[in-house]
Structure formats: structure tokens, C-alpha cells
């Protein structure tokens, strides 16, 4: 009888050890100030759900309470990058879903943060998540600098158009091709009697904003060209005909 009891105990222990471990799938609905979450197992049973603040401190406390092993998924938003980087060491996988394709798959008449988090968890556990590529942190940091440069370029173009508009509104004759040359603009302001006093402050302000944007643009491009992480990549890309210092990092 003792041997039978010992054998039964060993069988139970072996069965317990060999049984597949439950995996948990966590869906996050990320917003500016809050993150709604839903934790499900492979069968779709909800284990936890709730809402936390979108801060590193709250994420630290929250991730300690989550069951393991776990996979996490969220929709791509402007806030996704830092949350992805922060949670990556704390899960088997962290996936980011393409927002348009996710809406097509998980469309629902009833929609709120809680439901959205549950839908993302379901897509993750059923392997239906339309995953999008997440570039490395280093690449995303450089891309942020390039997006900032694009903003400067757009603002410069807007100011140039504003100068042309002010001159046209008041009937001032000017050379369109030379208008934004420093020397020509200075001559226009000092010698052209058609330039009305009412628009002179606006013209000077617009010109100053163009000058500042161009200086910032130059500084950004120079820093990217000197960046050790991009240096070799830029060198290789610029061997392609037509690829210059601006188009290479983009």
C-alpha cells in the first residue's frame, strides 16, 4: 500500500510538471493619460481587467501584478513607442497592431476602452493581430529628429508663401525667383517705394522666422551626418546615384 501511495504521488508530480503552462495574453488600449488592459488565457477567459495611468511609475507597479508567462499587444499610436520599449523586458513578446487593419478585424458596434483592450487580447491569443513593424529605439530616435526637420521645412515654406502673399495683397512688384535671396530682400525693403509701411513689420518678422528655421535645419542635418550610428549607413546609401545627405537618412 505504501509503494502504491508513493507511486501515485510521483505520477501526480510528473503530470503537474509535464502539463503545459498557461500563457496569458494582455491587450492594452493606450491613451494619453490612461491605459486600459485586459488579461485573458488561451481559452479566452478574462483573468484581470482595469485601467492604469500612462506613467512609468504606474506601469512598474502594474506589470509586477500580471501573471506569467505573458504576451502583450497594443495598437500603434503616438504614445506606443515608449510603452513598447518599457514593457519589452517584461514579456515573452510585445506586439504592436496596425490601427487601420485592427479596426477592420475587430470592428464592433459597442466601443469603449474596456472592450477595445479585450478585442486586442483576443486578436493576440488567436494569432489574428495585424502586427506592424517596430523599428529599433535607435532608428526611432533618429526618425523623430527627421520629422522635426520636416516641420521646419514646412514652416519655412509657409513663411515664404506668406511674404509673397503680403506683397501681392498690396500690389508690390517683385522678382519671384530672387525674392528669398538675402540681398534681394534687403534691397526690396530699402529701395522699393511700393512696399507699404503697414506690411514692413510682417515682412521683417517672416524673414526672421525663415532665417531661424534655416539655421535649425542646418544644425539638425549636421548632427545627423556626424551621428556615429548613421555614419556608415549614410556612406553606403550615398553611393547610390541621386541619394544625397538629406534623402539618405530619410
Amino acid at each position: 500500500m505504501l509503494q502504491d501511495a508513493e507511486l501515485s504521488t510521483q505520477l501526480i508530480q510528473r503530470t503537474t510538471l509535464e502539463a503545459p503552462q498557461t500563457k496569458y495574453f494582455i491587450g492594452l488600449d493606450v491613451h494619453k493619460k490612461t491605459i486600459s488592459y485586459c488579461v485573458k488565457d488561451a481559452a479566452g477567459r478574462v483573468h484581470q481587467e482595469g485601467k492604469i495611468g500612462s506613467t512609468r511609475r504606474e506601469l512598474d507597479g502594474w506589470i509586477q501584478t500580471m501573471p506569467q508567462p505573458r504576451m502583450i499587444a497594443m495598437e500603434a499610436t503616438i504614445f506606443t513607442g515608449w510603452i513598447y520599449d518599457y514593457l519589452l523586458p517584461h514579456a515573452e513578446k510585445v506586439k504592436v497592431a496596425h490601427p487601420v487593419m485592427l479596426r477592420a478585424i475587430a470592428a464592433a458596434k459597442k466601443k469603449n476602452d474596456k472592450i477595445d483592450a479585450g478585442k486586442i487580447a483576443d486578436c493576440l491569443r488567436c494569432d489574428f493581430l495585424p502586427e506592424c513593424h517596430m523599428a529599433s529605439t535607435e532608428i526611432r530616435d533618429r526618425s523623430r529628429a527627421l520629422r522635426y526637420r520636416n516641420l521646419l521645412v514646412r514652416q519655412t515654406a509657409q513663411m515664404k508663401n506668406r511674404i509673397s502673399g503680403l506683397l501681392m495683397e498690396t500690389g508690390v512688384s517683385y522678382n519671384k525667383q530672387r525674392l528669398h535671396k538675402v540681398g534681394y530682400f534687403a534691397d526690396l525693403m530699402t529701395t522699393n517705394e511700393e512696399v507699404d509701411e503697414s506690411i514692413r513689420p510682417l515682412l521683417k518678422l517672416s524673414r526672421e522666422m525663415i532665417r531661424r528655421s534655416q539655421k535649425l535645419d542646418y544644425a539638425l542635418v549636421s548632427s545627423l551626418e556626424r551621428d556615429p550610428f548613421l555614419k556608415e549607413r549614410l556612406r553606403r546609401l550615398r553611393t547610390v546615384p541621386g541619394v544625397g545627405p538629406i534623402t539618405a537618412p530619410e
Side-chain angles (χ1 to χ4, degrees):
M1 289 293 291
L2 183 60
Q3 290 180 347
D4 290 343
E6 290 177 351
L7 182 61
S8 298
T9 303
Q10 290 176 0
L11 286 172
I12 291 171
Q13 290 175 346
R14 182 178 299 176
T15 303
T16 303
L17 290 171
E18 292 178 354
Q21 192 173 11
T22 302
K23 185 175 287 188
Y24 296 92
F25 303 88
I26 305 175
L28 303 180
D29 188 44
V30 178
H31 295 278
K32 181 180 179 181
K33 294 184 178 180
T34 61
I35 301 172
S36 295
Y37 66 90
C38 180
V39 184
K40 294 188 177 185
D41 61 19
R45 290 184 291 267
V46 177
H47 285 257
Q48 293 185 44
E49 56 186 354
K51 185 178 289 189
I52 59 172
S54 298
T55 64
R56 288 176 172 80
R57 182 176 179 180
E58 291 206 39
L59 278 173
D60 270 336
W62 169 78
I63 199 64
Q64 300 304 322
T65 66
M66 292 295 101
Q68 296 194 57
R70 53 188 172 236
M71 292 175 63
I72 302 173
M74 67 194 86
E75 186 179 353
T77 68
I78 191 175
F79 319 109
T80 298
W82 75 266
I83 297 173
Y84 174 88
D85 292 336
Y86 206 71
L87 294 178
L88 201 57
H90 302 289
E92 284 189 358
K93 288 183 180 178
V94 180
K95 297 187 176 184
V96 178
H98 190 291
V100 176
M101 295 176 68
L102 181 65
R103 291 190 196 104
I105 293 172
K109 291 183 179 179
K110 291 184 178 180
K111 184 174 172 62
N112 56 45
D113 298 346
K114 180 180 176 180
I115 292 173
D116 287 349
K119 291 284 185 181
I120 294 171
D122 283 332
C123 288
L124 180 62
R125 71 182 180 84
C126 297
D127 200 21
F128 284 159
L129 193 79
E131 190 175 359
C132 63
H133 171 68
M134 281 295 288
S136 65
T137 306
E138 293 80 9
I139 292 295
R140 282 186 277 124
D141 289 344
R142 275 73 178 181
S143 297
R144 188 179 302 115
L146 285 172
R147 288 197 300 272
Y148 191 82
R149 179 188 174 268
N150 288 338
L151 172 64
L152 292 174
V153 171
R154 289 197 302 271
Q155 288 179 338
T156 300
Q158 288 174 349
M159 286 298 102
K160 288 181 176 180
N161 291 335
R162 186 66 261 173
I163 289 174
S164 299
L166 289 169
L167 296 174
M168 286 188 288
E169 283 176 19
T170 52
V172 179
S173 302
Y174 64 93
N175 187 321
K176 184 178 179 180
Q177 283 70 37
R178 299 180 59 200
L179 176 60
H180 302 298
K181 303 292 184 182
V182 177
Y184 179 81
F185 185 82
D187 290 341
L188 182 74
M189 293 291 287
T190 56
T191 63
N192 194 324
E193 296 179 355
E194 295 178 354
V195 179
D196 192 88
E197 288 297 325
S198 63
I199 65 168
R200 285 181 179 275
L202 297 176
L203 290 172
K204 290 179 181 178
L205 180 61
S206 299
R207 183 63 207 175
E208 179 62 21
M209 291 184 70
I210 290 172
R211 188 185 66 81
R212 290 179 181 178
S213 295
Q214 289 174 336
K215 288 183 69 175
L216 286 172
D217 180 23
Y218 176 79
L220 275 175
V221 172
S222 298
S223 67
L224 289 171
E225 286 185 307
R226 295 191 303 268
D227 192 330
F229 182 81
L230 295 176
K231 191 173 183 179
E232 180 59 23
R233 178 178 299 197
L234 290 174
R235 187 192 65 78
R236 293 197 303 268
L237 285 171
R238 292 179 69 176
T239 61
V240 179
V243 176
I246 301 301
T247 53
E250 291 180 346

